[in-house]
Structures are given as C-alpha cells and as structure tokens.
mmCIF file of all heavy atoms in Angstrom:
data_model
loop_
_atom_site.group_PDB
_atom_site.id
_atom_site.type_symbol
_atom_site.label_atom_id
_atom_site.label_comp_id
_atom_site.label_asym_id
_atom_site.label_seq_id
_atom_site.Cartn_x
_atom_site.Cartn_y
_atom_site.Cartn_z
ATOM 1 N N ASP A 3 -99.960 -42.511 7.477
ATOM 2 C CA ASP A 3 -99.613 -41.719 6.297
ATOM 3 C C ASP A 3 -98.592 -40.643 6.649
ATOM 4 O O ASP A 3 -97.651 -40.385 5.889
ATOM 5 C CB ASP A 3 -100.858 -41.072 5.690
ATOM 6 C CG ASP A 3 -101.800 -42.078 5.062
ATOM 7 O OD1 ASP A 3 -101.358 -43.214 4.764
ATOM 8 O OD2 ASP A 3 -102.986 -41.734 4.874
ATOM 9 N N MET A 4 -98.765 -40.026 7.812
ATOM 10 C CA MET A 4 -97.815 -39.020 8.271
ATOM 11 C C MET A 4 -96.441 -39.661 8.497
ATOM 12 O O MET A 4 -95.402 -39.075 8.167
ATOM 13 C CB MET A 4 -98.331 -38.379 9.560
ATOM 14 C CG MET A 4 -97.507 -37.235 10.060
ATOM 15 S SD MET A 4 -98.241 -36.354 11.451
ATOM 16 C CE MET A 4 -98.864 -37.643 12.490
ATOM 17 N N CYS A 5 -96.418 -40.878 9.016
ATOM 18 C CA CYS A 5 -95.158 -41.593 9.225
ATOM 19 C C CYS A 5 -94.492 -41.938 7.889
ATOM 20 O O CYS A 5 -93.265 -41.884 7.777
ATOM 21 C CB CYS A 5 -95.390 -42.861 10.031
ATOM 22 S SG CYS A 5 -95.828 -42.548 11.742
ATOM 23 N N ALA A 6 -95.295 -42.280 6.893
ATOM 24 C CA ALA A 6 -94.737 -42.567 5.570
ATOM 25 C C ALA A 6 -94.071 -41.328 4.984
ATOM 26 O O ALA A 6 -92.998 -41.416 4.371
ATOM 27 C CB ALA A 6 -95.826 -43.090 4.643
ATOM 28 N N GLU A 7 -94.689 -40.167 5.197
ATOM 29 C CA GLU A 7 -94.066 -38.914 4.747
ATOM 30 C C GLU A 7 -92.771 -38.646 5.503
ATOM 31 O O GLU A 7 -91.798 -38.152 4.933
ATOM 32 C CB GLU A 7 -95.025 -37.744 4.949
ATOM 33 C CG GLU A 7 -96.237 -37.768 4.054
ATOM 34 C CD GLU A 7 -97.246 -36.683 4.396
ATOM 35 O OE1 GLU A 7 -96.953 -35.832 5.260
ATOM 36 O OE2 GLU A 7 -98.338 -36.702 3.807
ATOM 37 N N THR A 8 -92.757 -38.992 6.780
ATOM 38 C CA THR A 8 -91.549 -38.817 7.593
ATOM 39 C C THR A 8 -90.435 -39.723 7.089
ATOM 40 O O THR A 8 -89.265 -39.331 7.066
ATOM 41 C CB THR A 8 -91.863 -39.108 9.075
ATOM 42 O OG1 THR A 8 -92.950 -38.285 9.487
ATOM 43 C CG2 THR A 8 -90.669 -38.844 9.957
ATOM 44 N N LEU A 9 -90.785 -40.921 6.670
ATOM 45 C CA LEU A 9 -89.788 -41.827 6.108
ATOM 46 C C LEU A 9 -89.197 -41.275 4.817
ATOM 47 O O LEU A 9 -88.007 -41.448 4.550
ATOM 48 C CB LEU A 9 -90.400 -43.212 5.861
ATOM 49 C CG LEU A 9 -90.590 -44.065 7.103
ATOM 50 C CD1 LEU A 9 -91.497 -45.243 6.795
ATOM 51 C CD2 LEU A 9 -89.259 -44.529 7.651
ATOM 52 N N GLU A 10 -90.023 -40.607 4.025
ATOM 53 C CA GLU A 10 -89.528 -40.002 2.792
ATOM 54 C C GLU A 10 -88.533 -38.887 3.080
ATOM 55 O O GLU A 10 -87.665 -38.595 2.270
ATOM 56 C CB GLU A 10 -90.693 -39.472 1.956
ATOM 57 C CG GLU A 10 -91.554 -40.568 1.366
ATOM 58 C CD GLU A 10 -92.794 -40.042 0.678
ATOM 59 O OE1 GLU A 10 -92.935 -38.800 0.553
ATOM 60 O OE2 GLU A 10 -93.623 -40.863 0.272
ATOM 61 N N MET A 11 -88.656 -38.264 4.265
ATOM 62 C CA MET A 11 -87.711 -37.221 4.666
ATOM 63 C C MET A 11 -86.450 -37.828 5.293
ATOM 64 O O MET A 11 -85.586 -37.105 5.771
ATOM 65 C CB MET A 11 -88.357 -36.265 5.677
ATOM 66 C CG MET A 11 -89.506 -35.481 5.122
ATOM 67 S SD MET A 11 -90.251 -34.267 6.252
ATOM 68 C CE MET A 11 -89.929 -34.851 7.872
ATOM 69 N N ARG A 12 -86.375 -39.143 5.328
ATOM 70 C CA ARG A 12 -85.245 -39.890 5.872
ATOM 71 C C ARG A 12 -85.089 -39.734 7.386
ATOM 72 O O ARG A 12 -83.994 -39.861 7.920
ATOM 73 C CB ARG A 12 -83.944 -39.538 5.164
ATOM 74 C CG ARG A 12 -83.975 -39.876 3.698
ATOM 75 C CD ARG A 12 -82.686 -39.473 3.013
ATOM 76 N NE ARG A 12 -82.483 -40.306 1.854
ATOM 77 C CZ ARG A 12 -81.662 -41.351 1.814
ATOM 78 N NH1 ARG A 12 -80.963 -41.675 2.845
ATOM 79 N NH2 ARG A 12 -81.551 -42.037 0.710
ATOM 80 N N ALA A 13 -86.158 -39.463 8.080
ATOM 81 C CA ALA A 13 -86.150 -39.424 9.540
ATOM 82 C C ALA A 13 -86.606 -40.797 10.039
ATOM 83 O O ALA A 13 -87.710 -40.964 10.564
ATOM 84 C CB ALA A 13 -87.053 -38.315 10.053
ATOM 85 N N TYR A 14 -85.742 -41.781 9.845
ATOM 86 C CA TYR A 14 -86.116 -43.174 10.058
ATOM 87 C C TYR A 14 -86.452 -43.501 11.509
ATOM 88 O O TYR A 14 -87.427 -44.195 11.782
ATOM 89 C CB TYR A 14 -85.004 -44.093 9.563
ATOM 90 C CG TYR A 14 -84.758 -43.998 8.089
ATOM 91 C CD1 TYR A 14 -83.519 -43.608 7.595
ATOM 92 C CD2 TYR A 14 -85.770 -44.270 7.179
ATOM 93 C CE1 TYR A 14 -83.294 -43.512 6.231
ATOM 94 C CE2 TYR A 14 -85.559 -44.175 5.819
ATOM 95 C CZ TYR A 14 -84.316 -43.801 5.345
ATOM 96 O OH TYR A 14 -84.102 -43.705 4.001
ATOM 97 N N LEU A 15 -85.648 -43.031 12.445
ATOM 98 C CA LEU A 15 -85.890 -43.396 13.841
ATOM 99 C C LEU A 15 -87.173 -42.786 14.386
ATOM 100 O O LEU A 15 -87.895 -43.436 15.155
ATOM 101 C CB LEU A 15 -84.694 -43.000 14.707
ATOM 102 C CG LEU A 15 -83.422 -43.804 14.421
ATOM 103 C CD1 LEU A 15 -82.291 -43.347 15.322
ATOM 104 C CD2 LEU A 15 -83.668 -45.289 14.599
ATOM 105 N N VAL A 16 -87.479 -41.573 13.985
ATOM 106 C CA VAL A 16 -88.728 -40.935 14.408
ATOM 107 C C VAL A 16 -89.909 -41.714 13.848
ATOM 108 O O VAL A 16 -90.876 -42.011 14.568
ATOM 109 C CB VAL A 16 -88.774 -39.466 13.939
ATOM 110 C CG1 VAL A 16 -90.123 -38.841 14.212
ATOM 111 C CG2 VAL A 16 -87.663 -38.670 14.591
ATOM 112 N N ALA A 17 -89.836 -42.062 12.586
ATOM 113 C CA ALA A 17 -90.921 -42.822 11.959
ATOM 114 C C ALA A 17 -91.040 -44.213 12.563
ATOM 115 O O ALA A 17 -92.157 -44.720 12.759
ATOM 116 C CB ALA A 17 -90.691 -42.914 10.458
ATOM 117 N N LEU A 18 -89.918 -44.834 12.882
ATOM 118 C CA LEU A 18 -89.927 -46.162 13.498
ATOM 119 C C LEU A 18 -90.614 -46.116 14.865
ATOM 120 O O LEU A 18 -91.448 -46.957 15.180
ATOM 121 C CB LEU A 18 -88.491 -46.673 13.643
ATOM 122 C CG LEU A 18 -88.296 -48.054 14.240
ATOM 123 C CD1 LEU A 18 -88.848 -49.108 13.299
ATOM 124 C CD2 LEU A 18 -86.824 -48.310 14.512
ATOM 125 N N GLU A 19 -90.287 -45.100 15.648
ATOM 126 C CA GLU A 19 -90.904 -44.943 16.966
ATOM 127 C C GLU A 19 -92.408 -44.701 16.836
ATOM 128 O O GLU A 19 -93.212 -45.302 17.553
ATOM 129 C CB GLU A 19 -90.242 -43.785 17.708
ATOM 130 C CG GLU A 19 -90.782 -43.568 19.100
ATOM 131 C CD GLU A 19 -90.158 -42.372 19.798
ATOM 132 O OE1 GLU A 19 -89.484 -41.561 19.139
ATOM 133 O OE2 GLU A 19 -90.376 -42.256 21.016
ATOM 134 N N ALA A 20 -92.795 -43.835 15.928
ATOM 135 C CA ALA A 20 -94.216 -43.498 15.766
ATOM 136 C C ALA A 20 -95.020 -44.685 15.241
ATOM 137 O O ALA A 20 -96.126 -44.953 15.732
ATOM 138 C CB ALA A 20 -94.368 -42.300 14.836
ATOM 139 N N THR A 21 -94.486 -45.403 14.264
ATOM 140 C CA THR A 21 -95.225 -46.556 13.732
ATOM 141 C C THR A 21 -95.327 -47.669 14.761
ATOM 142 O O THR A 21 -96.353 -48.350 14.827
ATOM 143 C CB THR A 21 -94.587 -47.090 12.431
ATOM 144 O OG1 THR A 21 -93.209 -47.375 12.656
ATOM 145 C CG2 THR A 21 -94.740 -46.108 11.295
ATOM 146 N N THR A 22 -94.304 -47.833 15.576
ATOM 147 C CA THR A 22 -94.369 -48.838 16.645
ATOM 148 C C THR A 22 -95.433 -48.459 17.667
ATOM 149 O O THR A 22 -96.188 -49.318 18.136
ATOM 150 C CB THR A 22 -92.999 -49.001 17.314
ATOM 151 O OG1 THR A 22 -92.043 -49.369 16.312
ATOM 152 C CG2 THR A 22 -93.031 -50.074 18.384
ATOM 153 N N TYR A 23 -95.522 -47.182 17.986
ATOM 154 C CA TYR A 23 -96.564 -46.715 18.900
ATOM 155 C C TYR A 23 -97.953 -47.000 18.319
ATOM 156 O O TYR A 23 -98.858 -47.426 19.043
ATOM 157 C CB TYR A 23 -96.398 -45.225 19.191
ATOM 158 C CG TYR A 23 -97.431 -44.704 20.151
ATOM 159 C CD1 TYR A 23 -97.247 -44.829 21.525
ATOM 160 C CD2 TYR A 23 -98.607 -44.124 19.693
ATOM 161 C CE1 TYR A 23 -98.204 -44.373 22.415
ATOM 162 C CE2 TYR A 23 -99.568 -43.672 20.584
ATOM 163 C CZ TYR A 23 -99.358 -43.798 21.940
ATOM 164 O OH TYR A 23 -100.318 -43.367 22.816
ATOM 165 N N ILE A 24 -98.121 -46.766 17.032
ATOM 166 C CA ILE A 24 -99.410 -47.024 16.379
ATOM 167 C C ILE A 24 -99.763 -48.506 16.442
ATOM 168 O O ILE A 24 -100.912 -48.874 16.717
ATOM 169 C CB ILE A 24 -99.393 -46.510 14.921
ATOM 170 C CG1 ILE A 24 -99.261 -44.986 14.902
ATOM 171 C CG2 ILE A 24 -100.641 -46.957 14.163
ATOM 172 C CD1 ILE A 24 -98.924 -44.411 13.544
ATOM 173 N N LEU A 25 -98.775 -49.369 16.215
ATOM 174 C CA LEU A 25 -99.025 -50.810 16.296
ATOM 175 C C LEU A 25 -99.455 -51.207 17.704
ATOM 176 O O LEU A 25 -100.430 -51.951 17.871
ATOM 177 C CB LEU A 25 -97.781 -51.602 15.890
ATOM 178 C CG LEU A 25 -97.908 -53.116 16.062
ATOM 179 C CD1 LEU A 25 -98.917 -53.684 15.071
ATOM 180 C CD2 LEU A 25 -96.569 -53.793 15.911
ATOM 181 N N ILE A 26 -98.747 -50.728 18.706
ATOM 182 C CA ILE A 26 -99.092 -51.069 20.089
ATOM 183 C C ILE A 26 -100.494 -50.572 20.427
ATOM 184 O O ILE A 26 -101.287 -51.291 21.055
ATOM 185 C CB ILE A 26 -98.035 -50.506 21.060
ATOM 186 C CG1 ILE A 26 -96.715 -51.261 20.870
ATOM 187 C CG2 ILE A 26 -98.508 -50.603 22.508
ATOM 188 C CD1 ILE A 26 -95.532 -50.623 21.563
ATOM 189 N N ALA A 27 -100.827 -49.355 20.009
ATOM 190 C CA ALA A 27 -102.171 -48.826 20.251
ATOM 191 C C ALA A 27 -103.220 -49.683 19.552
ATOM 192 O O ALA A 27 -104.307 -49.932 20.106
ATOM 193 C CB ALA A 27 -102.258 -47.377 19.776
ATOM 194 N N GLY A 28 -102.917 -50.152 18.352
ATOM 195 C CA GLY A 28 -103.851 -51.008 17.621
ATOM 196 C C GLY A 28 -104.060 -52.353 18.290
ATOM 197 O O GLY A 28 -105.193 -52.850 18.376
ATOM 198 N N VAL A 29 -102.990 -52.934 18.806
ATOM 199 C CA VAL A 29 -103.102 -54.226 19.496
ATOM 200 C C VAL A 29 -103.893 -54.067 20.791
ATOM 201 O O VAL A 29 -104.739 -54.902 21.123
ATOM 202 C CB VAL A 29 -101.701 -54.825 19.750
ATOM 203 C CG1 VAL A 29 -101.777 -56.042 20.651
ATOM 204 C CG2 VAL A 29 -101.044 -55.188 18.417
ATOM 205 N N LYS A 30 -103.647 -52.976 21.515
ATOM 206 C CA LYS A 30 -104.433 -52.713 22.727
ATOM 207 C C LYS A 30 -105.901 -52.516 22.378
ATOM 208 O O LYS A 30 -106.790 -52.990 23.090
ATOM 209 C CB LYS A 30 -103.907 -51.477 23.453
ATOM 210 C CG LYS A 30 -102.604 -51.695 24.169
ATOM 211 C CD LYS A 30 -102.160 -50.417 24.857
ATOM 212 C CE LYS A 30 -100.828 -50.570 25.537
ATOM 213 N NZ LYS A 30 -100.373 -49.307 26.158
ATOM 214 N N LEU A 31 -106.152 -51.822 21.278
ATOM 215 C CA LEU A 31 -107.522 -51.591 20.845
ATOM 216 C C LEU A 31 -108.214 -52.910 20.497
ATOM 217 O O LEU A 31 -109.395 -53.095 20.795
ATOM 218 C CB LEU A 31 -107.524 -50.653 19.632
ATOM 219 C CG LEU A 31 -108.853 -50.124 19.143
ATOM 220 C CD1 LEU A 31 -109.505 -49.258 20.209
ATOM 221 C CD2 LEU A 31 -108.666 -49.330 17.860
ATOM 222 N N ALA A 32 -107.485 -53.821 19.898
ATOM 223 C CA ALA A 32 -108.061 -55.118 19.522
ATOM 224 C C ALA A 32 -108.513 -55.913 20.743
ATOM 225 O O ALA A 32 -109.422 -56.738 20.632
ATOM 226 C CB ALA A 32 -107.044 -55.922 18.719
ATOM 227 N N SER A 33 -107.911 -55.643 21.890
ATOM 228 C CA SER A 33 -108.261 -56.420 23.081
ATOM 229 C C SER A 33 -109.596 -56.007 23.709
ATOM 230 O O SER A 33 -110.160 -56.772 24.477
ATOM 231 C CB SER A 33 -107.142 -56.318 24.126
ATOM 232 O OG SER A 33 -107.091 -55.017 24.666
ATOM 233 N N HIS A 34 -110.082 -54.797 23.388
ATOM 234 C CA HIS A 34 -111.330 -54.382 24.030
ATOM 235 C C HIS A 34 -112.329 -53.678 23.121
ATOM 236 O O HIS A 34 -113.372 -53.252 23.589
ATOM 237 C CB HIS A 34 -111.027 -53.489 25.247
ATOM 238 C CG HIS A 34 -110.372 -52.198 24.917
ATOM 239 N ND1 HIS A 34 -109.018 -52.075 24.791
ATOM 240 C CD2 HIS A 34 -110.884 -50.966 24.681
ATOM 241 C CE1 HIS A 34 -108.720 -50.821 24.506
ATOM 242 N NE2 HIS A 34 -109.834 -50.130 24.428
ATOM 243 N N ALA A 35 -112.046 -53.562 21.857
ATOM 244 C CA ALA A 35 -112.976 -52.902 20.935
ATOM 245 C C ALA A 35 -113.583 -53.925 19.979
ATOM 246 O O ALA A 35 -113.007 -54.980 19.735
ATOM 247 C CB ALA A 35 -112.249 -51.814 20.143
#
C-alpha cells in the first residue's frame, strides 16, 4: 500500500525497487513458511 502511494507521487523507480523486494521476500517466505 505504501508503494502504491509512492507510485501516485510518480516516484516510479523507488516503488519498482520496493515492490520487487517485497516479491522476493514473499517467494523466500513461501519456501519455508
């Protein structure tokens, strides 16, 4: 949600980096949770 707000501020690269980090953390979590 915070990344979506960042996208509304047109800070695309920051939001892209943060959402990618969230995806990677989620995939890692899926492997052991």
Side-chain angles (χ1 to χ4, degrees):
D3 291 341
M4 186 172 43
C5 290
E7 292 173 6
T8 305
L9 284 166
E10 290 173 6
M11 295 183 334
R12 298 178 154 259
Y14 296 120
L15 292 180
V16 173
L18 181 67
E19 182 183 13
T21 54
T22 302
Y23 181 84
I24 295 167
L25 175 68
I26 291 168
V29 171
K30 286 180 183 178
L31 189 63
S33 70
H34 64 274

